[in-house]
Amino acid sequence: MPENRDRCIALLNEAGCRPKVIAHCRAVCTCAEEYARRCDLADPALVMMGALLHDIGRGGTHAIDHAQRGADLLREKGFPERVVRIVECHTGAGLTADECTLLGLAPRDCIPQTIEEKIVTHADNLIAGSTRVTIDESIASAIHLPKKIRRRMYRLAGEVELLAQ
């Protein structure tokens, strides 16, 4: 398991992630670490690893299954499930097993549960490319998603913002 940023970045490179994906992961990490510092319940090292590695599956695909592929890759490498779940649950505000099935994914419950999963997911929603955006801008850009998923994104944002006050 990587113990520092450099090793996480090396893993992204090994997985075939392009520089834009790595820049995005770095920006998400910076944002997530801000929230982790303000939340006494969060494990900062776990947030850092999860944020940097959240898009590792994009080394193989940019499709909706990148989160599950990334999680599977980390499981194969022996990563702790706490890190794997951050990667697996980061899409939008998470997906239920039924939503995964409808999208052609493995029917896994991919709804963020731990504070670290929620922080990284929220931070990912606040970063477009490498640029920080508001949650309203993020949700507006997700207009193609069903209303219940956009509502879930908004509720997740509110929860993380309250926990990190």
Side-chain angles (χ1 to χ4, degrees):
M1 184 173 79
E3 297 165 4
N4 61 49
R5 293 171 201 285
D6 293 339
R7 185 65 187 124
C8 289
I9 298 303
L11 284 169
L12 292 171
N13 280 307
E14 289 169 21
C17 293
R18 296 178 184 249
K20 280 187 175 184
V21 171
I22 295 171
H24 168 74
C25 291
R26 286 180 190 268
V28 169
C29 184
T30 298
C31 180
E33 286 179 317
E34 290 172 18
Y35 282 98
R37 277 193 294 277
R38 297 190 335 245
C39 181
D40 295 335
L41 303 174
D43 177 340
L46 182 58
V47 168
M48 181 272 295
M49 278 192 292
L52 282 175
L53 297 172
H54 80 279
D55 270 349
I56 195 166
R58 290 197 184 273
T61 182
H62 283 271
I64 190 73
D65 67 340
H66 77 277
Q68 287 189 354
R69 283 191 184 191
D72 291 344
L73 174 68
L74 293 179
R75 279 188 184 103
E76 289 171 15
K77 290 185 173 288
F79 274 74
E81 194 64 15
R82 293 176 65 200
V83 176
V84 171
R85 287 288 299 167
I86 291 172
V87 172
E88 193 164 55
C89 296
H90 82 272
T91 303
L95 298 167
T96 66
D98 287 342
E99 290 165 343
C100 285
T101 299
L102 290 171
L103 291 167
L105 303 172
R108 302 178 189 165
D109 177 11
C110 297
I111 299 290
Q113 300 296 324
T114 68
I115 188 59
E116 294 85 6
E117 291 167 9
K118 292 174 182 182
I119 286 172
V120 173
T121 299
H122 179 53
D124 188 39
N125 288 338
L126 297 179
I127 304 295
S130 298
T131 304
R132 181 91 176 239
V133 297
T134 67
I135 191 61
D136 291 328
E137 291 169 321
S138 180
I139 291 171
S141 72
I143 195 68
H144 61 284
L145 295 175
K147 187 183 270 188
K148 73 177 184 177
I149 292 176
R150 287 180 281 137
R151 278 193 197 125
R152 192 181 305 146
M153 290 170 68
Y154 190 76
R155 283 192 308 270
L156 176 69
E159 182 180 354
V160 172
E161 294 293 338
L162 282 173
L163 288 168
Q165 284 187 351

